[in-house]
Amino acid sequence: MNSFLIRAARLLDGNGGPALTDQDVLVRQGRIAEIGPAGTLAAGDAEVVVVSGSLLPGLINAHVHLRHDGVHFEEPPDQQILTAFANCRRLLTHGVTTARDTGGFGSLTQAVRDAVASGLMLGPRIVSCGVGITSTAGHGWVRWLRADSADDLRRACRRLVEQGVDAIKIAATGGSMPPGSNPHSAQYSAREIAVLVEDAHRLGRRVAAHAEATEGIVNCVVAGVDTIEHCGWLGPDHGLLVDDRTLDLMRVQRTTVVPTLCEWFRTGWENLEALGSAERTSRGKLPFLGPYDEAPAGRRARAAVWGEMHRSGIRFAAGTDTWDPIQRELELMVGLMGVTTAEAIVIATRNGARALGLGDEVGTIEVGKVADLLAVAGDPLTEVAALRRVDRVWKSGTLVVERGMVKG
Ligand SMILES: [Zn+2]
């Protein structure tokens, strides 16, 4: 792999500091070899690539489902393979160089991960949870491994490791899919989840937990889960029920929250909110609303709680769950959580890498790290929308997106 030098008008390294102007980044063998003011590096005859906008680390989407397109959830397996192929390319055009799949079909996601890693197809670096683990009649039971006791959870974890997963996903509360599970209650006790976490960590895997109900969030945090997905703080009556002691524990344990605002604020659902709930039910065609089906004010209050959590030092990462670009997740964080644009970039880069256990390899622009880089037009520190103007993307030092289009 050849060397090249990126001359960036503006460099945001992912650590949250002010932008550095007129910086050179020397990439050698797929890694960042040197960084310094323009013209100061001994780059030899390395090709110079000029970035007139901003250079930042490749983005990290911590919650995707490669197998589906966000609309059709029950397609045949061969269709899911093709959808995953297309989604890999789509993620690259969003500037995403690492994505964690939080629940797939069979071992499809591991196969996609390996195909990308071997160069068979283009895509982001994939962290695969394989299929998730859930209880009988629990969230996602149609496709996921079912476990109804601590022994079951331990066995399911080990089975997934045999299948080559990188991380473990557990549905700690019910959810919206398929209808019938209870999103307002926990599916496992803290003691049961702790058995899973202990075994997953023993095997070097982090644990991500789907947790919409407060009861489930509390159990997960007590059990030492690494990331809380959705974090709905849903009380038994569907209201907002925040547990302060759990917040303290999250700060101490560095639990990462992946709130998936794109899921809570799905594009196109604004129109549904105008309908009364009786009318929605009578239409009977909205199977995925589940706990997200509530008054807009309730969801905004939930986002405000996440904002307070963020400002109190709890770590957040960015995951979409839907096929909205990750940029929409960051725009929602800025607009509804009060996150600054600088913080949003850290959330989508360094925080994501740390949450996935890849903080030593990716997530920031630092000497020695993998050259996963994103060039956008404009300055995302003054205008978060600039992140949508993806110009070029490098993954492991290879140019994979040019002028917003996937190469090859
Ligand atoms: Zn999900």
Side-chain angles (χ1 to χ4, degrees), residues 63-65 68 102-103 139 144 169 210 229-230 260 263 321:
H63 192 127
V64 299
H65 300 279
H68 68 64
T102 50
H139 176 60
W144 291 4
K169 168 80 178 286
H210 163 105
E229 313 296 312
H230 314 303
T260 65
E263 180 67 87
D321 208 5

Side-chain angles (χ1 to χ4, degrees), residues 173 183-184 211-219 232-236 239-243 246:
T173 71
H184 305 107
E212 291 170 4
T214 301
E215 189 186 17
I217 296 168
V218 171
N219 289 353
W233 297 116
L234 286 176
L240 195 53
L241 178 66
V242 181
D243 184 81
T246 303

Side-chain angles (χ1 to χ4, degrees), residues 48-401:
V48 177
V49 179
V50 175
V51 169
S52 55
S54 304
L55 185 73
L56 54 155
L59 304 179
I60 296 174
N61 192 331
H63 192 127
V64 299
H65 300 279
L66 292 169
R67 73 170 183 87
H68 68 64
D69 60 7
V71 181
H72 309 95
F73 286 79
E74 301 301 334
E75 290 172 314
D78 47 1
Q79 181 63 44
Q80 292 182 33
I81 294 169
L82 295 171
T83 302
F85 175 85
N87 280 337
C88 281
R89 298 172 71 85
R90 172 150 53 172
L91 284 166
L92 290 178
T93 64
H94 297 164
V96 171
T97 49
T98 299
R100 182 181 59 174
D101 187 295
T102 50
F105 173 68
S107 56
L108 167 65
T109 320
Q110 289 91 287
V112 172
R113 172 198 66 197
D114 295 345
V116 169
S118 70
L120 190 62
M121 59 183 267
L122 283 175
R125 174 175 297 96
I126 291 164
V127 174
S128 175
C129 295
V131 291
I133 302 172
T134 191
S135 63
T136 302
H139 176 60
W141 65 264
V142 176
R143 299 200 176 277
W144 291 4
L145 281 181
R146 287 183 228 172
D148 294 311
S149 65
D151 281 346
D152 282 0
L153 286 167
R154 196 188 284 113
R155 196 175 301 114
C157 171
R158 293 175 184 179
R159 189 163 293 160
L160 287 167
V161 170
E162 282 183 353
Q163 293 173 8
V165 301
D166 306 296
I168 301 292
K169 168 80 178 286
I170 178 175
T173 71
S176 54
M177 221 173 54
S181 72
N182 183 355
H184 305 107
S185 74
Q187 297 191 162
Y188 302 103
S189 68
R191 191 168 298 188
E192 287 170 327
I193 299 170
V195 169
L196 171 80
V197 170
E198 185 186 19
D199 212 47
H201 287 176
R202 176 182 71 83
L203 294 164
R205 268 71 174 181
R206 289 177 177 238
V207 178
H210 163 105
E212 291 170 4
T214 301
E215 189 186 17
I217 296 168
V218 171
N219 289 353
C220 286
V221 175
V222 167
V225 156
D226 300 285
T227 64
I228 302 290
E229 313 296 312
H230 314 303
C231 198
W233 297 116
L234 286 176
D237 61 354
H238 205 75
L240 195 53
L241 178 66
V242 181
D243 184 81
D244 287 337
R245 282 200 311 195
T246 303
L247 295 179
D248 292 338
L249 202 49
M250 287 170 128
R251 257 185 302 276
V252 172
Q253 294 179 173
R254 296 184 174 275
T255 312
T256 300
V257 177
V258 185
T260 65
L261 285 102
C262 285
E263 180 67 87
W264 291 98
F265 294 85
R266 262 184 185 253
T267 311
W269 285 8
E270 296 85 350
N271 297 333
L272 303 177
E273 286 163 357
L275 303 174
S277 61
E279 189 177 351
R280 280 196 294 260
T281 307
S282 72
R283 292 192 174 197
K285 287 213 179 274
L286 306 170
F288 306 116
L289 284 174
Y292 310 112
D293 180 19
E294 60 180 326
R299 289 185 284 132
R300 277 195 282 275
R302 184 160 283 111
V305 167
W306 295 326
E308 285 168 29
M309 290 166 67
H310 163 69
R311 283 184 288 282
S312 79
I314 292 172
R315 193 177 279 175
F316 278 73
T320 52
D321 208 5
T322 65
W323 283 106
D324 292 303
I326 189 171
Q327 285 81 354
R328 175 169 157 80
E329 182 73 13
L330 302 178
E331 288 159 7
L332 289 168
M333 283 182 169
V334 169
L336 299 170
M337 287 172 58
V339 166
T340 68
T341 53
E343 290 164 349
I345 291 167
V346 174
I347 283 171
T349 56
R350 187 182 70 185
N351 284 13
R354 287 179 175 173
L356 273 49
L358 298 173
D360 292 338
E361 285 288 278
V362 297
T364 58
I365 301 179
E366 290 178 271
V367 171
K369 284 204 172 175
V370 173
D372 283 3
L373 301 164
L374 164 63
V376 299
D379 179 5
L381 280 185
T382 56
E383 182 202 10
V384 71
L387 288 173
R388 287 190 183 253
R389 297 198 280 275
V390 172
D391 179 25
R392 273 169 288 192
V393 179
W394 292 266
K395 192 184 139 215
S396 300
T398 298
L399 186 65
V400 287
V401 171

